[in-house]
Amino acid sequence: MDGGTFGGINFSFRPDAISFVFSWNETQEGKASFVGYLWKGTWTQSDVPADVSYGSASSTIVTMTDRDANILSKGTSQGGAVTKSDDAVLIASYEEYLSESASGTKLIEFDYKDKNVTPEKINIIFASNDYFSQTVAGKTSGAKVDDICNSLTISDVKLIYYHSLAKCTYDGQQVTFDANDSASVSALYDRSKLAYKKKGVGAIVAEAYDNATGVLTITVKGNDYSADNTSVTHYTIQFYNASATLAVNSSAQYGTFCAPFDVTIPAGVTAYTISGIAENGKLTLVEQQNTIPAHTPVIVYSESASDINAVQFGVATAGNPTSNYLTGVYADTTAPVGSYVLQNQSGRVGFYHVEGTQPWVRANRAYLTVPASANVKAFYMDDATAIQTVEELLSGKAEIYDLAGRRQQKLQKGINIVGGKKVLVK
């Protein structure tokens, strides 16, 4: 206490806290001291008296470099003027005291005055007395040291380097991570909406976003990180990475749809898969309940008087976008020759056979394929649960009338009335 600790250990890290196991036994009234500090630069004090023997002062005068009282601005009457280098700065410190006998494990955090400066030196002090102010009790003749001194035992001292996120938000909303440091956000990734605060003065944060999976990885490394330790945390956030528009034209009422992720069926829309082709030449449709599974192409139907353009978002998964008779596409594609494409021709909505010019099938739509043996030219949409074929009309299975209301045995050139609808035969 009379001279103080001066000098220090070369050190260029920025720990966040210190932990240790302690046992303090109070024999004389006082308190135990735990002090630590990090600094850069040099403090110099001349003419400091040095005690060379207990109980008597010597005439020895020394110059102290980086004296604790000077660095920590404690002030002292012992010594001459104090000077410091231009770059001298106290970067971080802590002081904590015990006033009653105790034992256990303690963690003390450094108080950083400047988080942007790299230290040059460190000192860690453990004292069984009040380090900066308590005078050691005078020793009486015949007294034992244990009778006049408090005892402090220290073990398992560790510098702690935090490596975590103190807070993380996306678009102003808190991101909650589970026990595996994983979270999900129901949105497409936009870096400008992400904000976080690291825990760890010297911690280093890195980000990596995978467009293919929609996963953002935030890696936080402690200031002491190396390949030999585990002071690193990897946070993952699953974002949507794909979008798809489910569209139904109000005049057509029908459409097709396929997405690489599960999609909730919008209100007012009914979705169907195809389970087979019946003997009467109609496609058998199966209504989907609530959800269209990923990679499942469907026929969609709506009676709404307005167009439906429901943009859906999700996490794309690998898979083959096919189901019975329907093939989905995730990018604009020309329909294969021999397939069937949903079109509105002359006011009649149906799947029309592709024979010459190959029409485009737009992204997140689907085209129809049936065995060549079916020999079908088109599948017309008669209602939401069945599709009637031209062959059914030509075979005479449907009732056909001319414009005068006379029953016909087969389709005639010109306009025919079939099932209450006008059909033009050229």
Side-chain angles (χ1 to χ4, degrees), residues 7-13 38-39 41 66 119-123 159:
I9 298 173
N10 293 336
F11 191 78
S12 58
F13 293 93
L38 301 157
W39 76 95
D66 293 333
E120 292 179 345
K121 292 184 178 181
I122 186 173
N123 270 336
L159 291 174

Side-chain angles (χ1 to χ4, degrees), residues 264-278:
T264 300
I265 299 172
V269 173
T270 310
Y272 302 93
T273 56
I274 300 174
S275 64
I277 301 177

Side-chain angles (χ1 to χ4, degrees), residues 1 3 8 14 27 31 51 66 71 75 103 118 132 175 186 196 260 277 293 296 307 324 368 379 385 387 404 406-407:
M1 184 195 69
R14 286 178 284 176
T27 300
K31 54 187 178 180
D51 289 348
D66 293 333
I71 296 173
S103 62
T118 300
F132 288 109
V175 176
S186 299
Y196 55 77
I277 301 177
T296 303
D307 293 349
N324 289 343
L368 175 69
F379 294 91
T385 58
I387 301 175
R406 296 186 294 267
R407 177 75 179 271

Side-chain angles (χ1 to χ4, degrees), residues 161-327:
Y161 297 84
Y162 296 147
H163 46 90
S164 61
L165 293 179
K167 184 178 182 181
C168 183
T169 62
Y170 187 80
D171 200 17
Q173 300 298 312
Q174 181 72 33
V175 176
T176 302
F177 294 95
D178 61 18
N180 297 316
D181 299 317
S182 298
S184 61
V185 172
S186 299
L188 293 173
Y189 175 65
D190 181 344
R191 180 59 186 85
S192 66
K193 296 180 180 180
L194 178 71
Y196 55 77
K197 182 180 180 181
K198 69 178 182 179
K199 184 177 181 181
V201 173
I204 299 173
V205 183
E207 302 172 28
Y209 179 70
D210 189 332
N211 286 289
T213 63
V215 173
L216 172 69
T217 301
I218 303 175
T219 300
V220 186
K221 294 180 179 180
N223 190 222
D224 65 331
Y225 173 79
S226 71
D228 299 326
N229 66 36
T230 57
S231 67
V232 58
T233 304
H234 300 284
Y235 296 90
T236 58
I237 305 176
Q238 176 69 71
F239 287 89
Y240 291 157
N241 68 331
S243 63
T245 302
L246 190 156
V248 183
N249 184 278
S250 59
S251 61
Q253 295 185 296
Y254 291 91
T256 59
F257 179 73
C258 187
F261 50 85
D262 292 350
V263 168
T264 300
I265 299 172
V269 173
T270 310
Y272 302 93
T273 56
I274 300 174
S275 64
I277 301 177
E279 292 182 359
N280 63 2
K282 292 184 178 181
L283 299 177
T284 303
L285 305 186
V286 178
E287 183 176 352
Q288 301 299 291
Q289 302 297 323
N290 303 319
T291 302
I292 302 171
H295 309 294
T296 303
V298 293
I299 297 170
V300 289
Y301 173 80
S302 173
E303 292 184 349
S304 174
S306 302
D307 293 349
I308 293 177
N309 289 283
V311 180
Q312 307 281 343
F313 298 93
V315 179
T317 59
N320 190 15
T322 61
S323 184
N324 289 343
Y325 307 103
L326 285 173
T327 299

Side-chain angles (χ1 to χ4, degrees), residues 137-159:
K139 182 179 178 181
T140 59
S141 175
K144 296 180 179 180
V145 172
D146 288 347
D147 294 333
I148 63 171
C149 293
N150 299 330
S151 65
L152 175 64
T153 302
I154 299 291
S155 63
D156 200 21
V157 181
K158 299 177 183 178
L159 291 174

